[in-house]
Amino acid sequence: MTSPPDPTLVRFDGPWRHFDVRANGLRFHAVETQRFVADRPLVLLLHGFGEFWWSWRNQLEALTDAGYRAVAVDLRGYGDSDKPPRGYDGWTLAGDTHALIRALGHSTAALVGHADGGLVCWATATLHPAVVSRVAVLSSPHPRALKHGVLRNAEERSAFLGPFLHNQLPRLGERRLTVDDGAFIAEYFRERSGAAWRQTDDFAEAVSRNRMAIQIPGVAHCSLEYRRWAFRSQFRTDGWRFMDLMNKRLRIPVLAVRGRDDAYILDSVMAGSRRWASTMDYRMVSGAGHFAHQEKPDEFNALLLELLSGP
C-alpha cells in the first residue's frame, strides 16, 4: 500500500522561495520568486478548488518582472498550509486573507482569485475594504450573482449544481476525490479545460501535480468543506447574514475573466456580477475553459497587468 504524500512535496524546486506565514491563527505555505522585492505593491494569488499554489506558476514571474511582489498561497486546508477542521465559511476565509496581507508586511494588496479563491476575493474586498486595492477574478462570479444564476437560470443550474451537490456527501465525497491516485482531478481538468491546453505537456504536468496534492492527508476533506458551507449555509441564518453583508457595491477596480469555452461558469452569471462592482471590466479569453490563467497565461497576464497599472 502506497503511503499518502507528505505536504512538503508541494514545495517544488525551481525559481521559487517557499516560506511560512502565520496569519489568523494558522500557518500558511506561501511562494514567491527568488527575485522578490518586499517593498513593492503586493499581489496576493488565491487558487481554486482541488488545486494549490502551483496554479499561479505563470503569473509569479510575470508579475515580478512588471514590478510587483507576487505571493501565491496554499489556502486554508490545501497543500502545505494548516488543515483545521473548521473555518471554511466566508467570514473566516476573508479574515485569512486580511491577516495574510498584514503578516506579509503590507497595508493593502491587489487580490487575484480563481473559482473558490475568487469567492474569497469578493468576500475580502467587501468585508475588509480598507486592505484591498483592486480585484481580479477568474470564472468566479460574485456570490450573490452565482446564487441568482443557479436559482433563475436552468442552464447554469444544470452546469453547476449537479457536481456541487455530489460533494455534499460525507466520506463519499472525499473518497471520490482521492480514489485511484486522485483520478477525479484528472477528469475534472479534462472536462473543464479547453481542447488546446489538453494536448500539451503543461496540462499533463498540472494534472499530475494536482493529483498528488489532493491525496495529501486532510486536503480532500478541507477542499469539500468550502463547498459544503457554501451550500448548507443557504438554509441557515449564518448564510443569510453573509449574503446580506455581501450585498454591497465595491468601489475599487474589478477585472472579471472567463474562458469562452467554460461550460461550468456561464457568461450570464459572470456578467451579472456587475451589479456589485461600480467599475468592472469583464473579458473573455478565447480558446480557454475554466482555467484561463493556465491555458492562456500570456493573454491573462496582459489583462491582469492592465488592471494593476490602471488608476
Side-chain angles (χ1 to χ4, degrees):
M1 180 176 178
T2 304
S3 299
D6 188 275
T8 60
L9 289 176
V10 302
R11 297 182 181 242
F12 305 128
D13 292 334
W16 322 112
R17 171 182 178 251
H18 296 273
F19 62 106
D20 292 330
V21 185
R22 292 279 177 181
N24 209 22
L26 298 183
R27 179 191 57 81
F28 291 88
H29 169 228
V31 182
E32 59 192 346
T33 72
Q34 293 178 355
R35 299 179 292 110
F36 82 98
V37 179
D39 61 358
R40 289 177 172 182
L42 176 64
V43 182
L44 194 59
L45 303 161
L46 309 175
H47 63 81
F49 169 77
E51 299 185 73
F52 62 109
W53 75 268
W54 178 253
S55 67
W56 303 109
R57 61 197 176 281
N58 296 307
Q59 283 69 52
L60 287 168
E61 294 280 359
L63 289 167
T64 300
D65 290 343
Y68 299 95
R69 183 188 183 192
V71 177
V73 297
D74 291 338
L75 295 178
R76 168 189 292 250
Y78 281 100
D80 196 20
S81 291
D82 282 348
K83 300 167 184 66
R86 290 175 292 278
Y88 301 93
D89 59 275
W91 288 282
T92 304
L93 295 170
D96 287 350
T97 310
H98 178 208
L100 277 165
I101 294 168
R102 301 293 191 184
L104 288 165
H106 295 258
S107 57
T108 62
L111 303 182
V112 185
H114 170 239
D116 290 2
L119 293 175
V120 177
C121 291
W122 286 113
T124 308
T126 303
L127 301 177
H128 304 280
V131 302
V132 182
S133 61
R134 58 199 69 208
V135 165
V137 291
L138 299 94
S139 292
S140 186
H142 189 278
R144 290 184 68 96
L146 179 59
K147 181 178 180 178
H148 183 272
V150 170
L151 290 175
R152 303 293 179 84
N153 185 321
E155 187 180 9
E156 181 63 56
R157 185 162 57 249
S158 175
F160 180 84
L161 205 54
F164 198 84
L165 289 176
H166 194 103
N167 290 332
Q168 303 301 314
L169 300 173
R171 292 187 295 278
L172 292 177
E174 284 81 350
R175 176 168 171 74
R176 181 175 179 235
L177 262 61
T178 58
V179 71
D180 295 333
D181 294 326
F184 170 87
I185 293 296
E187 187 63 22
Y188 171 76
F189 270 76
R190 276 194 295 270
E191 287 182 350
R192 298 192 181 176
S193 58
W197 189 44
R198 291 198 297 267
Q199 310 306 314
T200 66
D201 291 340
D202 183 66
F203 173 82
E205 182 180 25
V207 168
S208 176
R209 291 187 187 276
N210 283 291
R211 286 182 70 168
M212 178 276 292
I214 200 66
Q215 298 177 74
I216 292 171
V219 169
H221 174 72
C222 294
S223 64
L224 293 175
E225 285 298 288
Y226 285 76
R227 299 189 163 198
R228 287 167 177 163
W229 180 83
F231 177 73
R232 296 170 186 176
S233 68
Q234 301 306 308
F235 309 99
R236 305 193 303 249
T237 55
D238 60 326
W240 304 337
R241 290 198 308 271
F242 179 74
M243 281 298 184
D244 185 57
L245 288 170
M246 291 300 295
N247 196 20
K248 297 176 183 176
R249 210 165 194 220
L250 298 182
R251 303 295 177 181
I252 56 175
V254 174
L255 170 67
V257 177
R258 173 183 174 269
R260 193 177 295 275
D261 299 332
D262 189 348
Y264 183 63
I265 297 295
L266 304 185
D267 172 63
S268 58
V269 73
M270 287 298 294
S273 299
R274 283 195 175 98
R275 179 174 175 182
W276 291 277
S278 59
T279 307
M280 183 176 124
D281 184 13
Y282 174 37
R283 306 286 190 94
M284 280 200 273
V285 177
S286 297
H290 190 61
F291 310 94
H293 58 312
Q294 299 185 69
E295 299 178 52
K296 293 292 186 76
D298 291 343
E299 291 183 35
F300 173 71
N301 291 349
L303 296 174
L304 180 57
L305 291 173
E306 182 182 338
L307 168 75
L308 296 173
S309 63

